[in-house]
């Protein structure tokens, strides 16, 4: 176990809060630099990059070593601009403590809240430093300055309300901390509270004169450790000062040093990679913190894949301790050290080495995608190669090459990062690039649990995979796991399936956008003892994902921003109106005499230019900060789907069909027919017949418990336009497919009449009507007459047996938006509510009746057939049913004519 290891301190804040200035004061007081630099003078120790000095902001995280009191520290100065949030977030994995800055004039900003949430998730002890108080006081008599005291109380209240109630003001000197201070400390921990109550009992016994003379509580509570409370995140000290004017800094540094302590590390080697960069000679550097054991030059580091298998070992050529723009080479790095490793070609930001596990991906991700181009003198492969270098240092860029369109796409956070990327490419590689206007990066998820099946069996190959796709709450990403017993599928095949699931960014079926917020579980699989190869499971896995997505009720998601808007008070109404027009919502958080604060949330797509519009109609007096707030349901799904024009069945790189073998040759089976050919049974079908009931296409919200109003609204927004074209394709596929003859549904009624389960036949009325040649012609002249004739035919058919027959017509004779039902002889006739389709009504009815009745459905709608089948209904196409009607008519006629007096057909018109 290492002792007296270095402590890593991170400084974080929103842009322009004074992080770099405070870092300079740390280094100056530790005698690392002779003079504290200033950002506006361009002479800071840590911001040595030309782009940083020109812009006056931190773009790249920097580290420096110093000594504070008895502690050896590694100081991390992180970017504050929201465009470089991912860079700052990666540093969290190696921090022991964080100093979170808040600008006194601006208060808590959007980005402050995001950073606070990340610190809480990582469990990092945090100190709060309210900077720039010099704008309210000169520091000489701030405690008696009424303006400052008012502002200070306002800031404390804001901190306790928005960050933590355990935030305690530490600005008073230790000898001046009285009862109120210790009472606030006691509220953070039960043990301290007991000690405080004991002290208070003693204090009550003191005379008034003794209470005034003695700093009683500080004396009684002096043994209480702030350090333990801070490490356990039960206490968050708040300091007030000015890094630029050096107000209250000595007291802050002294208290800070007294409250921190170094960790103990294990002897086994471990390290966390938090950054990739290159030195002036282009040598690749892994920035790591050693979290256990030690690492020496010429030692080898093992790099592992996601399955825990070793890729290869690589030798350490050099170890550097960085400080600002310089470095010191060392032969060995101990636990707690932050070093740059030169030599390895593997390793990426967020990766764990040794016993450390791989870290989580950054939560702050780009929401805008751009096409990158360069001049004709730059070959596209060269441009792609150089962008890959930048991507390695900034993984969030996610450089992609679209083979079909021969174009390079990247992802960026915003305008500033766009400009920085251009500068980087020009300065480092001499390549001038251009980016288009960019487009919003959408995501897709599902609303229903489905089982996807993929089968890959060309000659001498074999694999079948069953995946359970389940929706997760927003922001959960993709979770992968396996629930297959090794008795049925060997461990190596299961690992291979999980690897194939994670190696690719799977695309949704609405717009081809990446999928998210989904748990994918391997629930069944099959391999052939001789013919299965690794690539077979890749194909089967990809197809299983896709086949599941084609079944599921898909939902389009779009990124949202959280907006913090400061405007002149008279413009509150105008701003809220603007937000409403942009599909956003907001509220006035605080209203002042001159300016007011509005907190809002809106889609990125609608507020990309809001800052410019706000400046225009407010005369430059309005300001807005926008922060990524996650993905939510798209506000204009239908419009986006139509504009993208994505056809999932024509996406040859993401196939939903499966490959089987038939008569010695390969047979490609469409995704909606795979269930009739697969070798393994559906796992979900065995467990719960209703579990597999999932609508096809973007029917977001079409769950079993959805109400009719919700179904109608969702269908109109996301279902109809996107999938109408596919309906005809499915019908054509069904028409070409030769299927085994099905029993007469009416015979089924008779055969099971004595069984307790009721027999129900659901008919899509207009689908059947237009499948009837004569009635279809009649409908063109008089739809009412054609519908009445169809009901007569069905009534005669129903009269020859038992069971319920329900005929459903789309949105006809609606009154006040309510469903209209009527009896026609022995039939139940339903006219759906306005805008509600027969498909929706039939699906809902199948679900309601499926558990207590034997349900059959008559329709030629391919999508409706699959949905009904998944819910356990027996299917008949409209033409099949018409043939059954004709067969029954003929059978009855023959039976009647075989009688001596049988010269009259009792079923006229059939």
């Amino acid at each position: 176990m290492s002792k007296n290891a270095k402590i890593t301190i991170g400084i974080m804040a929103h842009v322009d809060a004074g992080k770099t200035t405070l870092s300079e004061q740390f280094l100056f007081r530790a005698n690392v630099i002779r003079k504290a630099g200033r950002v506006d003078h361009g002479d800071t120790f840590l911001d040595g990059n030309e782009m940083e000095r020109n812009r006056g902001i931190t773009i790249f995280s920097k580290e420096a070593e110093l000594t504070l009191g008895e502690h050896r520290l590694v100081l991390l100065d992180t970017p504050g601009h929201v465009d470089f949030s991912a860079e700052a977030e990666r540093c969290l994995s190696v921090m022991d403590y964080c100093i979170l800055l808040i600008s006194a004039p601006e208060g808590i900003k959007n980005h402050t809240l995001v950073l606070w949430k990340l610190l809480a998730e990582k469990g990092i002890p945090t100190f709060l430093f309210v900077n720039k108080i010099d704008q309210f006081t000169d520091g000489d008599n701030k405690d008696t300055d009424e303006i400052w005291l008012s502002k200070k109380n306002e800031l404390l209240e804001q901190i306790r309300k928005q960050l933590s109630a355990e935030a305690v003001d530490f600005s008073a000197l230790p000898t001046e901390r009285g009862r109120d201070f210790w009472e606030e400390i006691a509220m953070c921990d039960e043990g301290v509270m007991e000690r405080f109550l004991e002290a208070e009992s003693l204090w009550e016994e003191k005379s008034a004169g003794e209470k005034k003379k003695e700093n009683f509580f500080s004396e009684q509570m002096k043994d209480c450790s702030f350090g333990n409370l801070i490490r356990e995140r039960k206490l968050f000290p708040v300091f007030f000062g000015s890094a630029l004017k050096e107000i209250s800094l000595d007291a802050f540094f002294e208290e800070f040093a007294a409250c921190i302590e170094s960790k103990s590390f294990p002897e086994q080697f471990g390290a966390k990679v938090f950054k990739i960069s290159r030195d002036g000679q282009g040598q690749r550097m892994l920035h790591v913190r050693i979290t256990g054991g030690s690492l020496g030059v010429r030692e080898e580091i093992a790099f592992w894949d996601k399955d825990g298998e070793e890729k290869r070992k690589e030798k350490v050529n050099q170890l550097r301790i960085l400080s600002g723009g310089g470095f010191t080479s060392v032969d060995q790095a101990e636990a707690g050290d932050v070093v740059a490793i030169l030599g390895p070609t593997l390793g990426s930001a967020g990766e764990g080495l040794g016993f450390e596990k791989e870290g989580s991906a950054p939560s702050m991700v780009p929401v805008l995608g751009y096409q990158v181009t360069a001049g004709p003198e730059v070959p596209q492969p060269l441009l792609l190669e150089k962008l890959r270098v930048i991507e390695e240092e900034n993984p969030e860029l996610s450089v992609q090459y679209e083979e079909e369109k021969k174009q390079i796409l990247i992802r960026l956070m915003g305008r500033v990062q766009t400009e920085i990327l251009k500068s980087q490419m020009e300065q480092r590689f001499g390549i001038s690039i251009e980016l288009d206007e960019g487009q919003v990066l959408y995501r897709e998820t599902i609303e229903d649990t489905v089982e996807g099946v993929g089968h890959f069996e060309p000659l001498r190959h074999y694999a079948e995979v069953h995946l359970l796709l389940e929706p997760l709450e927003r922001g959960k990403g993709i979770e992968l796991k396996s629930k297959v017993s090794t008795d049925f599928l060997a461990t190596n095949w299961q690992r291979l399936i999980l690897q194939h699931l994670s190696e690719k960014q799977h695309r949704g079926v609405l717009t081809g956008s990446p999928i998210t917020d989904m748990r994918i579980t391997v629930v069944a699989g099959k391999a052939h003892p001789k013919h299965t190869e690794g690539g077979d499971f890749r194909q089967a896995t990809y197809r299983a994902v896709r086949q599941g997505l084609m079944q599921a009720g898909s939902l389009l998601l779009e990124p949202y921003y959280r907006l913090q808007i400061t405007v002149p008070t008279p413009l509150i109404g105008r701003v809220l109106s603007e937000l409403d027009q942009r599909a956003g919502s907001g509220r006035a958080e605080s209203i002042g005499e001159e300016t007011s604060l509005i907190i809002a949330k809106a889609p990125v797509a609608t507020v990309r230019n809001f800052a410019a519009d706000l400046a225009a109609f407010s005369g430059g007096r309005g300001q807005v900060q926008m922060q990524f707030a996650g993905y939510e349901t798209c506000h204009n799904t239908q419009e986006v789907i139509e504009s993208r024009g994505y056809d999932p069945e024509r996406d040859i790189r993401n196939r939903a069909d499966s490959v089987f073998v038939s008569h010695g040759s390969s047979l490609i089976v469409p995704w909606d027919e795979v269930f009739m050919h697969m070798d393994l049974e559906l796992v979900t079908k065995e467990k719960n017949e209703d579990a597999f009931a999932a609508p096809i296409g973007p029917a977001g919200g079409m769950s079993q418990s959805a109400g009719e109003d919700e179904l109608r609204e969702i269908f109109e927004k996301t279902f109809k336009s996107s999938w109408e074209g596919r309906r005809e394709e499915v019908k054509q596929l069904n028409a070409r497919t030769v299927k085994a003859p099905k029993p007469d549904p009416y015979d089924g009624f008779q055969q099971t009449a004595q069984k307790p389960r009721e027999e129900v036949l659901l008919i899509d009325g207009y689908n059947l009507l237009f499948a009837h040649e004569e009635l279809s012609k009649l409908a063109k002249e008089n739809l009412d007459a054609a519908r009445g004739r169809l009901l007569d035919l069905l009534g005669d058919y129903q009269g020859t047996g038992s069971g319920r027959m329900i005929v459903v017509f789309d949105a006809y004779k609606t009154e006040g938006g309510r469903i209209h039902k009527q009896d026609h002889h022995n039939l139940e006739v339903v006219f759906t509510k306005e805008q509600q389709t027969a498909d929706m009504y039939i699906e809902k009815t199948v679900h309601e009746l499926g558990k207590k009745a034997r349900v059959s459905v008559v329709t030629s709608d391919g999508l409706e057939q699959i949905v009904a089948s998944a819910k356990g209904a027996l299917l008949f196409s409209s033409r099949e049913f018409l043939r059954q009607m004709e067969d029954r008519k003929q059978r009855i006629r023959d039976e009647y004519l075989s009688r001596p007096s049988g010269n009259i057909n009792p079923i006229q018109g059939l």
Side-chain angles (χ1 to χ4, degrees):
M1 306 286 283
S2 61
K3 296 181 179 180
N4 196 28
K6 294 174 184 175
I7 304 172
T8 301
I9 308 298
I11 300 183
M12 308 187 82
H14 61 82
V15 68
D16 293 333
K19 298 181 313 305
T20 301
T21 305
L22 184 62
S23 298
E24 291 289 307
Q25 291 295 340
F26 260 105
L27 298 171
F28 173 64
R29 281 167 164 71
N31 296 317
V32 175
I33 56 178
R34 295 182 178 180
K35 176 186 175 183
R38 289 181 52 155
V39 174
D40 54 344
H41 292 173
D43 61 353
T44 56
F45 179 74
L46 293 176
D47 284 349
N49 184 277
E50 181 181 349
M51 291 182 291
E52 293 178 315
R53 290 186 171 179
N54 290 338
R55 292 179 174 271
I57 61 172
T58 300
I59 298 172
F60 311 104
S61 60
K62 308 288 193 319
E63 56 256 45
E65 291 204 349
L66 59 111
T67 300
L68 183 67
E70 61 181 18
H71 302 296
R72 296 184 301 156
L73 306 183
V74 177
L75 185 67
L76 288 178
D77 184 23
T78 64
H81 196 285
V82 66
D83 280 12
F84 309 103
S85 299
E87 172 93 1
E89 186 176 353
R90 283 191 288 270
C91 295
L92 293 172
S93 64
V94 298
M95 290 183 190
D96 293 318
Y97 295 90
C98 178
I99 301 172
L100 181 62
L101 268 68
I102 299 170
S103 171
E106 298 177 282
I108 295 175
K109 307 300 288 185
N110 269 343
H111 196 49
T112 313
L113 296 174
V114 173
L115 293 174
W116 180 261
K117 181 181 178 182
L118 291 172
L119 290 166
E121 290 175 352
K122 302 291 185 181
I124 299 175
T126 304
F127 295 79
L128 299 168
F129 185 84
V130 180
N131 194 25
K132 300 186 179 182
I133 69 169
D134 54 291
Q135 297 189 26
F136 300 94
T137 176
D138 59 10
D140 293 333
N141 297 301
K142 61 178 183 296
D143 289 335
T144 58
D145 186 333
E146 293 183 4
I147 296 177
W148 165 240
L149 286 176
S150 175
K151 182 64 177 178
K152 179 180 178 181
N153 291 332
E154 178 187 328
L155 289 166
L156 273 173
E157 182 180 357
Q158 189 181 39
I159 290 170
R160 288 166 177 165
K161 179 180 179 181
Q162 298 188 41
L163 301 184
S164 173
E166 285 75 40
V168 177
D169 180 9
F170 268 62
S171 58
L173 295 174
T175 56
E176 299 174 356
R177 292 168 181 168
R179 179 187 181 281
D180 292 343
F181 170 82
W182 287 106
E183 185 176 22
E184 291 183 10
I185 298 293
M187 295 294 291
C188 302
D189 181 76
E190 291 184 5
V192 179
M193 175 61 77
E194 292 178 3
R195 182 73 174 273
F196 173 76
L197 293 176
E198 292 174 3
E200 191 171 42
S201 298
L202 294 174
W203 185 74
E204 293 292 341
E205 299 174 1
K206 298 285 184 180
S207 66
E210 289 176 317
K211 292 177 182 179
K212 291 181 180 180
K213 292 178 181 179
E214 295 183 20
N215 186 12
F216 180 79
F217 279 94
S218 292
E219 186 65 27
Q220 291 294 318
M221 305 291 290
K222 64 182 180 181
D223 294 333
C224 290
S225 171
F226 294 143
N228 290 336
L229 297 177
I230 294 170
R231 279 195 307 277
E232 296 171 6
R233 287 184 58 85
K234 293 180 178 180
L235 171 64
F236 303 97
V238 182
F239 298 87
F240 296 84
S242 171
L244 182 63
K245 300 297 184 179
E246 301 185 24
I247 299 175
S248 301
L249 291 187
D250 291 335
F252 166 64
F253 287 129
E254 182 179 349
E255 191 79 57
F256 179 76
C259 292
I260 62 175
E261 64 179 50
S262 61
K263 290 182 178 179
S264 294
F265 295 96
E267 296 180 0
Q268 181 185 359
F269 170 72
K272 294 180 179 179
V273 183
F274 66 94
K275 180 179 175 180
I276 306 291
S277 71
R278 282 170 171 77
D279 65 7
Q281 286 71 46
Q283 298 182 91
R284 185 174 187 266
M285 299 191 296
L286 290 180
H287 295 247
V288 307
R289 188 185 190 200
I290 310 298
T291 57
S294 62
L295 179 66
V297 175
R298 292 182 294 278
E299 289 185 14
E300 289 187 332
I301 302 176
F303 292 88
W304 310 84
D305 61 21
K306 293 182 179 180
D307 295 324
E309 297 184 2
E310 185 178 307
K311 295 179 183 177
R312 67 171 181 264
K313 293 181 179 179
E314 295 194 320
K315 185 177 293 185
V316 176
N317 294 335
Q318 190 178 12
L319 293 171
R320 295 178 179 178
I321 294 179
L322 305 180
S323 191
F327 67 88
T328 302
S329 295
V330 295
D331 292 330
Q332 183 162 301
E334 303 293 339
D337 289 352
V338 174
V339 297
I341 305 174
L342 283 75
T345 59
L346 296 177
S348 58
E351 185 172 345
L353 305 177
F355 68 80
E356 289 287 0
K357 296 181 180 179
E358 185 172 359
S360 57
S363 61
M364 293 182 280
V365 295
V367 294
L368 299 172
Y370 298 82
Q371 180 183 349
V372 186
T373 57
E377 72 280 1
V378 181
Q380 197 174 57
L382 177 62
L383 175 60
L384 185 60
E385 176 190 341
K386 300 306 181 184
L387 285 170
R388 295 286 188 200
V389 173
I390 304 294
E391 178 193 23
E392 188 177 37
E393 301 167 10
N394 302 275
E396 66 275 6
L397 292 182
S398 187
V399 178
Q400 296 180 2
Y401 179 68
E402 286 197 350
E403 182 68 35
E404 302 93 337
K405 299 181 180 179
K406 306 294 183 184
Q407 63 184 19
I408 300 173
L409 302 176
I410 62 170
R411 300 176 182 179
L412 297 171
M413 294 290 289
R415 179 183 57 82
V416 176
Q417 191 181 18
T418 301
E419 296 171 357
I420 293 300
L421 177 63
K422 290 181 178 181
S423 298
Q424 284 183 295
M425 293 294 290
E426 182 72 41
Q427 293 178 13
R428 294 176 60 175
F429 310 117
I431 298 177
S432 178
I433 64 171
E434 294 296 330
L435 288 80
D436 65 2
E437 294 182 356
Q439 59 180 355
V440 172
L441 297 174
Y442 292 90
R443 296 284 185 272
E444 295 183 29
T445 189
I446 59 175
E447 286 214 329
D448 310 284
T449 297
V450 296
E451 183 175 340
V453 179
H455 187 100
F456 188 70
E457 191 185 2
L459 286 177
R460 296 181 180 85
H461 293 268
Y462 185 92
E464 181 166 304
V465 174
H466 289 227
L467 302 174
L468 188 68
L469 278 59
E470 303 171 90
L472 297 177
E473 60 185 77
R474 296 293 167 264
K476 291 296 185 180
I478 299 294
E479 294 182 7
L480 305 175
K481 62 180 182 178
S482 177
K483 283 188 174 180
V484 183
S485 169
T486 54
D487 294 337
F488 297 100
L489 187 65
T491 302
N492 62 313
W493 295 129
Q494 295 189 42
R495 287 179 178 173
L496 195 58
I497 295 171
L498 292 173
Q499 176 184 326
H500 294 324
L501 286 171
S502 63
E503 70 189 7
K504 177 181 178 180
Q505 190 176 64
H506 299 277
R507 302 175 71 180
V509 297
L510 302 182
T511 62
S513 301
I515 60 173
T516 188
D517 300 340
M518 196 182 306
R519 180 186 295 114
I520 304 178
T521 306
V522 184
V523 292
K526 185 178 180 181
H528 191 280
K530 294 183 179 180
H531 296 155
T532 298
E533 299 177 357
D536 300 343
F537 271 105
R538 174 183 286 108
Q539 288 292 330
T541 300
Y542 290 175
R543 293 167 191 266
V545 173
R546 195 69 171 173
Q547 201 261 358
L549 293 174
M550 293 291 281
Q551 301 170 51
S554 294
L555 194 64
L556 188 64
L557 306 177
E558 67 177 334
Y560 271 67
Y561 277 150
R562 184 179 187 271
L563 295 85
Q564 199 170 41
I565 308 167
T566 303
V567 294
T569 299
L571 292 178
I572 289 179
R574 171 69 185 275
V575 171
L576 294 177
S577 176
E578 284 280 340
L579 291 169
D580 184 64
Q581 294 175 23
R582 298 169 190 254
S585 60
R587 69 180 189 280
E589 184 74 10
S590 61
I591 301 177
E593 294 183 3
E594 297 183 358
T595 61
S596 297
L597 175 65
I598 296 175
I599 302 298
K601 196 174 188 181
V604 171
T606 65
V607 294
R608 288 181 62 183
N609 300 317
F610 181 73
D613 296 340
L614 175 65
F617 70 72
S618 68
R621 295 176 295 168
Q623 295 182 341
V624 60
Q625 278 199 344
M626 291 185 281
Q627 184 76 42
F628 175 60
Y631 276 82
E632 296 185 12
T633 305
C634 183
H635 78 284
N636 60 336
T637 297
Q638 182 175 339
E639 180 182 338
V640 174
I641 291 176
E642 291 176 350
S643 67
R644 294 298 176 94
Y646 179 72
D647 186 346
E649 298 202 65
R650 297 188 181 219
D651 187 348
I652 60 174
R653 295 181 180 276
N654 297 275
R655 304 293 294 264
D657 51 28
S658 283
V659 181
F660 291 82
V661 64
S662 177
H663 304 293
S665 61
S666 297
L667 173 67
I668 297 179
V669 175
W671 64 270
D672 56 321
E673 298 177 21
V674 170
F675 301 124
M676 295 184 288
H677 298 264
M678 62 188 182
D679 291 342
L680 301 173
E681 292 292 328
L682 290 175
V683 174
T684 47
K685 198 80 170 181
E686 294 173 359
K687 292 181 178 180
N688 182 352
E689 292 186 357
D690 290 328
F692 187 63
I696 300 169
M702 294 180 69
S703 61
Q704 297 170 355
S705 60
E708 292 166 358
D709 290 336
E710 182 183 3
L711 292 173
R712 174 181 61 78
E713 179 182 355
I714 293 169
F715 181 92
E716 284 300 310
K717 286 185 178 179
T718 62
F719 188 97
K720 190 173 181 180
S721 64
S722 174
W723 294 87
E724 280 180 344
R726 287 189 49 239
R727 287 178 177 276
E728 190 58 32
E729 293 180 13
V730 174
K731 290 178 184 178
Q732 293 172 4
L733 285 171
N734 288 340
R736 293 198 299 267
T737 304
V738 179
K739 300 179 180 178
K742 297 179 181 178
D744 184 337
Y746 208 23
D747 287 344
F749 287 2
Q750 294 176 329
Q751 294 168 9
T752 60
Q754 302 304 316
K755 295 182 179 181
R757 295 185 73 188
E758 181 185 22
E759 302 288 347
V760 179
L761 181 62
L762 279 163
I763 298 175
D764 186 334
Y766 285 128
N767 192 292
L768 183 63
L769 187 151
F770 287 105
H772 193 292
E773 184 176 353
E774 293 182 6
L775 294 182
S776 178
K777 293 178 181 178
L778 178 60
K780 295 179 181 179
E781 301 176 2
N782 190 325
L783 183 61
D784 288 343
R787 188 173 58 250
R789 183 61 177 154
L790 175 65
L791 293 176
D792 289 338
L793 293 173
L794 292 174
D796 291 337
Y797 182 81
Q798 169 72 348
T800 62
S802 60
R804 292 173 62 188
M805 183 181 290
I806 305 173
V807 187
V808 185
F809 293 98
D810 285 342
Y812 191 79
K813 287 188 177 180
T814 55
E815 296 179 5
R818 300 176 61 185
I819 291 177
H820 181 71
K821 298 181 180 180
Q822 66 182 46
D823 292 329
H824 184 89
H825 302 307
N826 50 349
L827 304 176
E828 297 176 37
V829 183
V830 178
F831 297 94
T832 65
K833 62 189 292 185
E834 185 178 5
Q835 305 297 334
Q836 185 184 34
T837 67
D839 302 17
M840 291 179 177
Y841 185 89
I842 290 174
E843 179 196 352
K844 179 174 179 288
T845 306
V846 170
H847 172 64
E848 292 174 347
L849 299 179
K851 295 182 180 180
K852 57 185 178 182
R854 185 166 182 254
V855 181
S856 300
V857 174
V858 176
T859 181
S860 290
D861 187 310
L863 299 175
E864 186 181 349
Q865 284 182 337
I866 298 170
V867 173
S869 176
K871 293 180 179 292
L874 185 63
L875 298 179
F876 301 90
S877 71
S878 293
R879 294 191 182 279
E880 283 179 311
F881 185 71
L882 289 172
R883 285 196 296 269
Q884 297 285 5
M885 291 176 64
E886 183 63 27
D887 290 345
R888 175 146 294 279
K889 178 190 73 172
Q890 185 63 43
R891 189 158 64 245
I892 294 175
R893 181 189 292 115
D894 293 342
E895 291 175 0
Y896 188 83
L897 292 177
S898 65
R899 300 175 184 176
S901 59
N903 55 6
I904 300 176
N905 183 358
I907 309 179
Q908 298 292 334
L910 275 180

